[in-house]
Amino acid sequence: RQTQHRNQSVKIFGRKRSKMSPDEFKAARHALGLSAQGMAKRLGIASGRTIRRWEAGKNRIPPTAIMVVKEMLRLAPAEKSV
């Protein structure tokens, strides 16, 4: 499952536009191994509830948050093969 999320995150990072669907955002969060609250903390947001709203498509994901998440994915260590 972690590999599936990692593969999805690689596809997301490769995009040139600074847009990310709610499902892609959630896949990126899972690939980074973060809870909604953990992602909120990394992005400097007060509550994991905001992250869950983005993932549910109730609120637009700010372009700045997308850029930060893409950079986090880029810097995340690749999964080791066993």
Side-chain angles (χ1 to χ4, degrees):
R1 185 163 166 91
Q2 185 83 2
T3 303
Q4 179 185 8
H5 289 300
R6 181 72 182 165
N7 291 340
Q8 179 71 19
S9 67
V10 170
K11 291 177 188 174
I12 294 166
F13 181 73
R15 290 184 174 186
K16 293 185 180 179
R17 56 192 172 98
S18 63
K19 291 186 179 179
M20 188 180 282
S21 75
D23 288 337
E24 290 170 333
F25 187 87
K26 188 172 187 175
R29 178 173 64 79
H30 284 278
L32 293 166
L34 296 172
S35 65
Q37 186 61 41
M39 178 68 91
K41 187 175 180 179
R42 293 276 179 100
L43 294 176
I45 296 167
S47 172
R49 186 174 183 186
T50 300
I51 301 299
R52 290 188 297 276
R53 285 181 177 165
W54 294 349
E55 293 175 351
K58 293 181 180 178
N59 294 85
R60 184 181 66 85
I61 305 168
T64 305
I66 293 168
M67 290 176 13
V68 171
V69 169
K70 285 183 177 183
E71 185 66 9
M72 289 167 64
L73 289 169
R74 189 182 73 79
L75 296 173
E79 245 183 87
K80 295 178 183 176
S81 297
V82 177

